[in-house]
Amino acid sequence: MTKDNPAYKFSMQVDYGKYLEFAAATGFKPKPEKEMPVVPPTFLATAEAWLPPGTWPAGEILGFDLKRSLHGEQEFIFHKPIRVGDRLNGRIWLESTFSKTGSRGGEMRFSIWVTDFDDEKGNSVAQSKMTIVETGSEK
Amino acid sequence: MNLNESQVIATREFGPISRTDIVRYQGASGDFNPIHHDIEFAKSAGFDDVFVVGMLIAGYLATFASDLVGVESINKFKIRFQAQTWPGDQILCSAKIIFADQHINGNERLVTLELIAKNQNGVLAATAQADARISSDSLLLSSK
């Protein structure tokens, strides 16, 4: 799997209703729709709502156990501000995977998932990078 | 420019986080991992209770950063989760400027904020960084 051969593709509309819902959930003060407001920095987490329910790449592709998995790190990079009204095309791909021995002896598996977001003209507008860790089974 | 790069420039509190807050975030984001709302599932995974979605803490820190520098000025946001937080926890956030570009580009300077979230017992929940381009006459850069 590579950037050009992603595991998942999706299309999302940055709609005002989702913006309001996300703002309410994160204590963010929303702006009026007519201003086509810039979305808050972690809003692209809502890409998940545009994938089939239950989509979980680390489980489906690497067999990670959901009960032993944690979200380690998350990064968002914006090449331009994302605004209400934008339509984005997303591609999710596995950047890397590696293992370490955990402090309690079990094998910890790491996976880094990238989502590239393009606008309708195909220009790259944002990138998300998510680190999912599966802890050892000795728990 | 009178910048002290290690000084806490602002603090903010979120919570206490209710189970409803967790569910509201999960509905908004589309992340329905049951470990954050289904106590039977959480127990079967070895936890005493459901725990807060990390991305909710990320959302709080992102809101905090946005209110400090302006949402449209942030071009990078990065968070590392350090410890789980639980229903009823309060989240105490603080911000420092850890980098400020000395070059003024037009009327803008690049700054990096370091954001920290702790629970009410002082346990570090997450550390984050936000890169932003802010106006070089911003009060953030000139405050004592």
Side-chain angles (χ1 to χ4, degrees), chain B residues 2-9 96-98 141 143-144:
Chain B
N2 195 4
L3 179 68
N4 181 339
E5 289 193 1
S6 63
Q7 186 183 355
V8 171
I9 57 165
K96 291 178 179 179
I97 296 176
I98 57 167
L141 292 170
S143 62
K144 54 254 160 217

Side-chain angles (χ1 to χ4, degrees), chain A residues 18 21-29 31 38-42 45-49 56 66-79 81 83 139, chain B residues 12 14 24-25 27-35 41 44-47 51 55-56 58-60 62-63 66-67 71-72 74-81 84:
Chain A
K18 182 58 82 180
E21 205 184 337
F22 194 83
T26 58
F28 184 84
K29 199 172 165 194
K31 292 186 173 152
V38 172
V39 301
T42 66
T46 65
E48 198 150 344
W56 193 55
L66 181 63
K67 291 182 178 177
R68 290 193 281 124
S69 294
L70 297 168
H71 195 170
E73 293 184 38
Q74 179 69 47
E75 178 177 321
F76 297 99
I77 294 170
F78 304 100
H79 307 306
R83 292 180 179 276
K139 194 169 160 217
Chain B
R12 181 145 164 199
F14 293 90
R24 183 184 290 113
Y25 181 80
S29 69
D31 168 8
F32 286 99
N33 185 341
I35 214 153
F41 185 88
S44 76
F47 298 100
F51 55 91
M55 287 307 291
L56 175 54
Y60 289 153
T63 290
S66 298
D67 288 347
V71 66
E72 54 291 299
I74 296 174
N75 52 31
K76 185 172 171 182
F77 183 88
K78 183 177 184 176
I79 185 162
R80 173 177 281 195
F81 301 108
Q84 281 137 334

Side-chain angles (χ1 to χ4, degrees), chain A residues 4-118:
Chain A
D4 299 318
N5 183 24
Y8 305 86
K9 287 184 186 178
F10 61 94
S11 180
M12 66 184 279
Q13 178 71 38
V14 181
D15 64 63
Y16 190 63
K18 182 58 82 180
Y19 168 84
L20 287 180
E21 205 184 337
F22 194 83
T26 58
F28 184 84
K29 199 172 165 194
K31 292 186 173 152
E33 185 173 17
K34 62 176 191 287
E35 293 178 19
M36 310 287 267
V38 172
V39 301
T42 66
F43 179 87
L44 288 179
T46 65
E48 198 150 344
W50 295 86
L51 290 158
T55 301
W56 193 55
E60 287 155 28
I61 291 167
L62 300 174
F64 277 28
D65 181 350
L66 181 63
K67 291 182 178 177
R68 290 193 281 124
S69 294
L70 297 168
H71 195 170
E73 293 184 38
Q74 179 69 47
E75 178 177 321
F76 297 99
I77 294 170
F78 304 100
H79 307 306
K80 68 182 266 297
I82 309 295
R83 292 180 179 276
V84 168
D86 288 352
R87 175 164 280 281
L88 305 174
N89 294 312
R91 286 165 291 153
I92 304 174
W93 51 284
L94 177 63
E95 185 193 72
S96 60
T97 175
F98 54 95
S99 302
K100 285 183 191 172
T101 302
S103 54
R104 279 168 295 184
E107 186 196 34
M108 293 174 75
R109 293 201 286 165
F110 292 74
S111 59
I112 301 177
W113 299 87
V114 173
T115 306
D116 284 307
F117 294 89
D118 293 351

